[in-house]
Amino acid sequence: MTSSSPLPRVVGATVTYGARSASCLATVDAFLATGVREVVVVDNGSTPSSRQALVEYAREHAPRVHLHHLERNEGSALAFGIALARAVEAGADHVWVLDDDNLPAGDALAALLREERALRAAGHGLCAVAPTRAPGAAPAEVAEAIRVEQAREQPREDRSFAGVELTLFARRAGERLGLRRPAAAASGADLAYAPYGGLLLGADVIRRIGFPDTALVLYGDDLEYTSRIVAAGGLIRLSRDAVVVDPRGERWMPPGFEVLAMFRSTNDALLYYSVRNRIHRELRTGRRRSPARSVNAALFWALCLGCTVLTGRPGKLRVLRRAAADARAGRLGRRVEF
């Protein structure tokens, strides 16, 4: 927070690509309507018509909107890194990140700032606040999103493998079978990591944890990036009061049981990067080899074999094996076959 103003200087940051200028500009409109000082937009390889729309909008809204062009889609890690860096360079006290189809509901920014101030006042100088992300703004959708997100359990990455952890798997199975009551929603929840969409973090936090790892290319780079806050002894708070509408659109991986969803996914490149980057992140958390890690890896591959039989899609198993092998060997970066 600057000494010359009682209000923090918040700079918005977003990344767009392809033919998504309409949704992106709606997000930028929403940014400006909330009172952010400036917005940084990174054009990560948009189509010519979308790029032109972005250029015209930035010209009309200068100097509050800053547009940075990349000639091709370089992946989310590089693009969001540029957006964060440009926001800090613009003199931000806080950077508020939205995906290019996110729309904040109500006073989301005020709620995020209020919770972030409370965390700092409680001695948590290294912190960030994530909103509850709902598929729509209707009260019932928001209430359900709050219930689900506040009760969500994240696997312990010091022992999980590809997101599979035996104890968490058993608890979830018990809930689905009616043998165990679902966890009650808490008044607030602390996260091990968070997605970019809706995240509010201070410029001082960005300076401390750096920028996303470009070797991850895309998918999961946000989770690795934000996990650094917790690894350094900080805290990520999930807010009940700040809501961001995340329509999500047509998913490349359907909801439901995650391993089965991998086999029903529609994009092998995203499947590869998401699993490779997740295992890479897990292996850097705690011990690479431990009895718990071995058990969870065995459970993951057993579930994969069952899903191969169930779906008749052995090609997905090959993608997963390549992802796991590359993660173990530290082979990151862009894969030409994808």
Side-chain angles (χ1 to χ4, degrees), residues 228-266:
R228 298 178 203 170
I229 296 173
V230 177
L235 183 150
I236 304 172
R237 174 62 48 81
L238 176 64
S239 171
R240 290 173 62 98
D241 299 326
V243 176
V244 167
V245 175
D246 178 15
R248 298 167 193 175
E250 184 177 349
R251 297 184 177 186
W252 67 272
M253 194 165 76
F257 176 47
E258 189 170 5
V259 178
L260 181 58
M262 293 176 184
F263 282 80
R264 291 175 172 167
S265 63
T266 59

Side-chain angles (χ1 to χ4, degrees), residues 53-314:
L54 295 170
V55 169
E56 292 174 0
Y57 184 98
R59 185 183 300 122
E60 292 170 2
H61 292 79
R64 292 187 69 194
V65 176
H66 307 272
L67 183 62
H68 181 90
H69 291 294
L70 296 174
E71 290 302 320
R72 68 168 190 167
N73 190 326
E74 298 289 354
S76 55
L78 177 64
F80 274 102
I82 291 171
L84 292 167
R86 291 298 176 92
V88 172
E89 290 168 5
D93 296 316
H94 293 80
V95 180
W96 189 22
V97 186
L98 290 175
D99 290 332
D100 69 349
D101 58 354
N102 289 172
L103 295 173
D107 61 350
L109 177 57
L112 290 169
L113 287 168
R114 185 167 58 249
E115 295 202 39
E116 199 263 1
R117 282 195 298 269
L119 289 174
R120 288 180 180 263
H124 302 291
L126 182 63
C127 65
V129 185
T132 295
R133 304 203 302 174
E141 291 178 294
V142 172
E144 177 63 10
I146 291 173
R147 185 193 69 79
V148 171
E149 292 300 322
Q150 293 287 333
R152 188 186 303 277
E153 295 179 87
Q154 294 175 318
R156 285 188 52 178
E157 295 203 328
D158 61 343
R159 61 182 60 184
S160 63
F161 187 86
V164 170
E165 181 191 350
L166 178 59
T167 54
L168 181 56
F169 177 81
R171 285 199 298 272
R172 288 175 175 171
E175 290 174 6
R176 292 189 182 99
L177 294 172
L179 302 177
R180 177 180 183 272
R181 288 185 177 182
S187 59
D190 295 337
L191 307 175
Y193 43 76
Y196 293 129
L199 189 71
L200 178 81
L201 63 169
D204 58 334
V205 174
I206 296 172
R207 294 188 186 98
R208 181 163 174 181
I209 67 173
F211 299 99
D213 185 351
T214 58
L216 299 180
V217 185
L218 57 86
Y219 224 93
D221 51 288
D222 50 353
L223 307 185
E224 185 280 328
Y225 179 63
T226 54
S227 71
R228 298 178 203 170
I229 296 173
V230 177
L235 183 150
I236 304 172
R237 174 62 48 81
L238 176 64
S239 171
R240 290 173 62 98
D241 299 326
V243 176
V244 167
V245 175
D246 178 15
R248 298 167 193 175
E250 184 177 349
R251 297 184 177 186
W252 67 272
M253 194 165 76
F257 176 47
E258 189 170 5
V259 178
L260 181 58
M262 293 176 184
F263 282 80
R264 291 175 172 167
S265 63
T266 59
N267 188 314
D268 283 355
L270 293 183
L271 177 62
Y272 167 82
Y273 286 117
S274 67
V275 174
R276 183 198 69 180
N277 293 346
R278 184 166 201 166
I279 296 175
H280 171 73
R281 188 173 73 248
E282 290 169 328
L283 295 180
R284 293 176 62 185
T285 306
R287 296 166 55 192
R288 284 179 63 93
R289 294 180 176 84
S290 68
R293 185 90 73 191
S294 298
V295 167
N296 291 325
L299 175 59
F300 173 72
W301 292 120
L303 292 170
C304 286
L305 289 174
C307 290
T308 301
V309 174
L310 181 64
T311 63
R313 305 183 76 179

